[in-house]
């Protein structure tokens, strides 16, 4: 199973971007998927997570601005980011935990996608 992230880029403050992460492969069942980010010189931090049941968790810094959603049919999670601020500039990583055919949890990590918020 692999994760493929997309959607980063350069945006002005106040603008929007949508990140997507698709889990591809066979013989797995999604447990949860989420986005983390790491800004230069800072530790990696949680941005938002969504479970297979649709329960969401957000970092306080993005509540009300970011929305995480999922498309079960495509094993894809989206992160809609609105009202972006320069402080949101970071490399965003998609991570997931899936259950394999043995019903064992497997942690997956995707490549990062750069989000730059600058005028």
């Amino acid at each position: 199973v692999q994760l493929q992230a997309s959607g980063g880029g350069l945006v002005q403050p106040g603008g929007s971007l949508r990140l997507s992460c698709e889990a591809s492969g066979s013989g797995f069942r999604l447990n949860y998927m989420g986005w983390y980010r790491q800004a230069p010189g800072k530790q990696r931090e949680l941005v938002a997570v969504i479970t297979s049941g649709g329960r969401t968790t957000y970092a306080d810094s993005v509540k009300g601005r970011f929305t995480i959603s999922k498309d079960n049919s495509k094993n894809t999670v989206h992160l809609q980011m609105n009202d972006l601020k320069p402080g949101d500039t970071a490399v965003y990583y998609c991570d997931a935990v899936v259950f394999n055919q043995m019903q064992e949890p497997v942690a997956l990590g995707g490549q990062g996608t750069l989000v730059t918020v600058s005028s």
Side-chain angles (χ1 to χ4, degrees):
V1 182
Q2 292 184 326
L3 300 180
Q4 180 67 45
S6 61
L10 173 64
V11 65
Q12 292 185 342
S16 298
L17 280 175
R18 188 168 95 147
L19 305 182
S20 297
C21 181
E22 179 182 7
S24 62
S26 61
F28 71 95
R29 179 169 56 88
L30 185 66
N31 183 10
Y32 67 85
M33 188 181 290
W35 290 93
Y36 298 75
R37 67 186 181 186
Q38 188 166 20
K42 295 188 177 180
Q43 290 188 334
R44 195 181 195 193
E45 62 175 357
L46 169 73
V47 177
V49 173
I50 187 166
T51 69
S52 58
R55 188 173 66 188
T56 58
T57 301
Y58 294 95
D60 287 342
S61 59
V62 307
K63 284 180 181 177
R65 301 188 297 122
F66 291 11
T67 301
I68 190 169
S69 61
K70 61 184 178 69
D71 182 340
N72 286 334
S73 65
K74 298 180 180 179
N75 286 318
T76 299
V77 169
H78 305 288
L79 183 69
Q80 178 66 41
M81 306 185 293
N82 298 329
D83 190 23
L84 283 160
K85 305 177 187 300
D88 296 316
T89 295
V91 177
Y92 284 69
Y93 297 90
C94 174
D95 288 347
V97 171
V98 303
F99 292 109
N100 62 17
Q101 292 177 316
M102 301 296 290
Q103 299 304 308
E104 298 165 332
V106 178
L108 303 172
Q111 86 282 9
T113 185
L114 178 62
V115 172
T116 303
V117 184
S118 175
S119 55

